[in-house]
Amino acid sequence: MARRERVVRMSVELPLWRALAGYRVLTMLYALLLFVLNKQYIERQAVALGYLAVLTVWTLATLPKVRSAARCTRPFLAVDLTIALTGILITPLADAQAQETDGPTLPSIWTAGSVLAFALKGGWRWAGFASSLVAVANMVERGEPSGDTFHNVVLVWVASIAIGYVVEVARASERTLARALEIEAATRERERLARDIHDGVLQVLAMVQRRGAEVGGEAAELGRMAGEQEIALRTLVSSGLVPTTRASEDVSQGAVVRLVDDVDGADETEGDGGEQDLRSLLARHAGAKVTLSEPGAPVLLPPAAARELAAAVSAALDNVNRHAGSGAHAWILVEDWPDEVVVTVRDDGPGIPEGRLAQAEGEGRMGVALSIRGRLRDLGGTAELISVPGQGTEVELKVPRAAAGPGGKDRT
């Protein structure tokens, strides 16, 4: 059963909402402290105490509302701003001297928290609307606005609009990042499916074409038709139009004959911690034309990483069979290092002419690009190909142990 990759993202707004919740509590305490320090100058302390009691209960009771944009509803914002505006407008009723001395209002800087909630919820336009209402309330409360009043109003207005704009930019960036992650995931899935098709359908069609040409007669016609289908499918793979639906995956993995047989009883070769011995996956390649050299101890990797690395080795050997000639011999060398596993596949064939790989990719023959390099890249490793005409080809596959775990997601 395929295990789909899940990307868990934390909204970039979440820290801002947390900061707003903390700001509201701190500014509530500041408003209470101002009352305690200046209560001897307040004519109607009952009015101030009544308002501050409402402000305190409201702030503490609505903390869950300012944890996210979803919880911060429009009705909440309307009531919150109303409480802030009411506190500003009743300040002269509680303390007439505050109007004359240009002192702080009852809610003081708590009002800015209400405006900032508008900014986080709706962006700079909502912030401009809320801060404009606060500006009008301050002008009315002061009667004859002073320079300090105008300065404070402009400061809140500019700061809230700027924060609202930053929030809008952050949301747009988050959407762009999410879309990029989706595209990357879809691209990797297409490449994985293309590798499966290359290892199965394309190789079968190529074999039918070669055998048909050798046998002749009606078989030659079948071989020709298989060759045409191979070219069409390679074009589809190289164009990136390979479907990634579950039905297509089932066809590519279950309904076609694969040249690279799955290893039976793979679970029996797993070691401690669910790791798998790479040697058991490579042992089936050893024979008269392939020499396998491996360590005496198990070469343990996560199962998915071991299978992908073994599939890359199979793809390299398939290239030897197809291009190096029937008389070519191949060697597989497995090296188990503390920080990485290195598998080298070398042959004594004629080598690869310069520019041949680029030409093959242009023709839709993606064996090296997808079945080898693509697999190693997904594992966080590298695949290096060295070929000198007349001196054979060497493919070195490296899988870092630190990257093999996260990169080797179970795709079975």
Side-chain angles (χ1 to χ4, degrees), residues 211-235:
R211 295 291 178 84
E214 293 173 358
V215 174
E218 295 182 356
E221 178 63 16
L222 293 176
R224 183 188 65 79
M225 295 174 61
E228 292 177 353
Q229 294 302 312
E230 180 194 4
I231 294 174
L233 187 54
R234 287 187 186 277
T235 301

Side-chain angles (χ1 to χ4, degrees), residues 391-410:
Q391 299 183 22
T393 302
E394 179 177 302
V395 180
E396 186 179 65
L397 312 173
K398 294 183 178 180
V399 177
R401 291 193 178 280
K409 295 178 175 60
D410 190 3

Side-chain angles (χ1 to χ4, degrees), residues 110-133:
W110 185 91
T111 305
S114 181
V115 176
L116 292 177
F118 272 81
L120 294 182
K121 175 67 175 181
W124 68 271
R125 294 176 180 84
W126 287 32
F129 168 76
S131 58
S132 296
L133 292 181

Side-chain angles (χ1 to χ4, degrees), residues 53-360:
V54 172
L55 182 69
T56 301
V57 173
W58 172 258
T59 301
L60 297 178
T62 58
L63 282 179
K65 288 288 188 179
V66 290
R67 290 182 179 177
S68 66
R71 296 184 178 185
C72 187
T73 61
R74 292 186 179 186
F76 162 75
L77 290 175
V79 175
D80 196 60
L81 184 61
T82 300
I83 292 176
L85 297 177
T86 302
I88 295 174
L89 295 175
I90 67 172
T91 297
L93 180 62
D95 182 13
Q97 294 183 0
Q99 189 176 39
E100 299 174 0
T101 61
D102 203 19
T105 60
L106 289 177
S108 184
I109 56 176
W110 185 91
T111 305
S114 181
V115 176
L116 292 177
F118 272 81
L120 294 182
K121 175 67 175 181
W124 68 271
R125 294 176 180 84
W126 287 32
F129 168 76
S131 58
S132 296
L133 292 181
V134 171
V136 172
N138 275 284
M139 296 295 183
V140 172
E141 186 268 333
R142 293 305 177 188
E144 295 180 0
S146 63
D148 290 339
T149 303
F150 180 77
H151 172 77
N152 293 334
V153 166
V154 171
L155 181 62
V156 173
W157 196 62
V158 172
S160 61
I161 291 179
I163 292 176
Y165 178 76
V166 170
V167 169
E168 289 187 359
V169 172
R171 285 173 179 162
S173 300
E174 189 176 19
R175 289 192 296 268
T176 301
L177 176 60
R179 179 57 180 162
L181 292 175
E182 291 174 359
I183 294 175
E184 180 183 6
T187 300
R188 287 186 177 274
E189 179 64 12
R190 278 197 297 268
E191 290 182 357
R192 184 192 67 80
L193 186 55
R195 289 197 298 264
D196 292 339
I197 292 175
H198 175 272
D199 291 346
V201 180
L202 293 178
Q203 293 184 9
V204 170
L205 292 175
M207 180 184 69
V208 172
Q209 181 186 21
R210 290 197 304 269
R211 295 291 178 84
E214 293 173 358
V215 174
E218 295 182 356
E221 178 63 16
L222 293 176
R224 183 188 65 79
M225 295 174 61
E228 292 177 353
Q229 294 302 312
E230 180 194 4
I231 294 174
L233 187 54
R234 287 187 186 277
T235 301
L236 184 64
V237 171
S238 61
S239 64
L241 298 178
V242 179
T244 58
T245 62
R246 182 63 189 169
S248 299
E249 186 176 342
D250 291 340
V251 170
S252 67
Q253 293 185 346
V256 299
V257 179
R258 300 182 57 122
L259 288 184
V260 182
D261 297 327
D262 293 331
V263 178
D264 295 330
D267 292 339
E268 298 177 359
T269 63
E270 292 184 3
D272 296 336
E275 294 186 320
Q276 190 166 11
D277 188 358
L278 178 64
R279 301 179 307 167
S280 63
L281 299 179
L282 300 180
R284 61 193 179 89
H285 296 300
K289 294 184 178 181
V290 179
T291 300
L292 175 62
S293 300
E294 58 188 17
V299 181
L300 299 179
L301 285 173
R307 289 194 295 270
E308 289 290 270
L309 183 54
V313 173
S314 298
L317 292 176
D318 179 68
N319 286 335
V320 174
N321 294 331
R322 296 183 60 184
H323 304 297
S326 58
H329 192 89
W331 291 265
I332 303 176
L333 174 62
V334 182
E335 301 174 88
D336 188 9
W337 299 101
D339 57 342
E340 64 181 359
V341 173
V342 182
V343 180
T344 305
V345 180
R346 182 171 59 86
D347 66 74
D348 58 359
I352 302 176
E354 185 176 355
R356 181 68 185 96
L357 290 179
Q359 179 184 354

